[in-house]
Amino acid sequence: SPASVDLAAELGLPLMLPSALAPPADFLPLVQRYRERWAAAGHDPASARVGGSDHVYVAATSQQAREAWRPYYLNHLRFVDRIRTRVELDSERLLADVAACGSPAEVVDRISATRETLGLDLHLSIFDLGGLPSAQLEKTLDLFASQVLPHLR
């Protein structure tokens, strides 16, 4: 909320965005507000820190990733739907436009675009959700570590 952004800036705290359920551009006004309030509070503009997050699933191809992850992602979204207050949960839109789900190259592109759009200093990748079996989780973590992470450093 704008109030929490203002408080973080005033107190000199980093800002962590709940960006896993909305397109990155939706958070841009809050990031801009934070950076403006940060400077207005007398903090060094270069020391402001902004973080974001993505739900992430990696497979050899984007089609394989979406097919394998869809049921677990839907489980997670049903859980969120029971506890959320102001988020529209269109699973197909989220899978196509918000979650970093796909081939290693697509996931690199998605995370890089989020970082660039919001000027992120920190990125959290959320992998274990919706009851994803351990073997699938390990496989996606291995692909992320070997084929995605090196391109994000």
Side-chain angles (χ1 to χ4, degrees):
S1 71
S4 63
V5 167
D6 293 350
L7 182 61
E10 180 182 325
L11 296 175
L13 299 172
L15 178 65
M16 189 66 198
L17 301 167
S19 51
L21 294 174
D26 287 6
F27 296 96
L28 194 52
L30 291 174
V31 172
Q32 291 168 335
R33 180 184 183 110
Y34 172 74
R35 293 191 186 282
E36 290 167 5
R37 299 283 203 266
W38 181 272
H43 306 298
D44 176 5
S47 66
R49 297 288 176 254
V50 177
S53 61
D54 281 307
H55 294 140
V56 178
Y57 189 85
V58 188
T61 70
S62 294
Q63 182 178 356
Q64 289 172 344
R66 284 176 180 74
E67 287 175 10
W69 196 46
R70 181 175 276 110
Y72 304 104
Y73 191 52
L74 291 174
N75 284 344
H76 174 70
L77 293 177
R78 282 190 287 270
F79 168 74
V80 170
D81 194 42
R82 289 193 309 266
I83 62 172
R84 64 140 170 100
T85 55
R86 296 178 294 178
V87 179
E88 180 184 335
L89 298 176
D90 175 344
S91 61
E92 291 306 310
R93 181 188 61 82
L94 290 171
L95 197 58
D97 297 333
V98 179
C101 176
S103 67
E106 184 176 356
V107 171
V108 167
D109 289 347
R110 184 72 55 86
I111 292 172
S112 297
T114 299
R115 182 176 57 200
E116 184 177 315
T117 297
L118 298 174
L120 297 182
D121 302 291
L122 173 72
H123 180 267
L124 298 179
S125 295
I126 305 164
F127 297 91
D128 188 11
L129 51 86
L132 190 65
S134 295
Q136 253 181 282
L137 178 60
E138 288 176 24
K139 193 172 182 179
T140 196
L141 286 170
D142 285 344
L143 276 171
F144 185 82
S146 66
Q147 297 184 32
V148 175
L149 196 55
H151 299 283
L152 297 176
R153 293 190 172 151

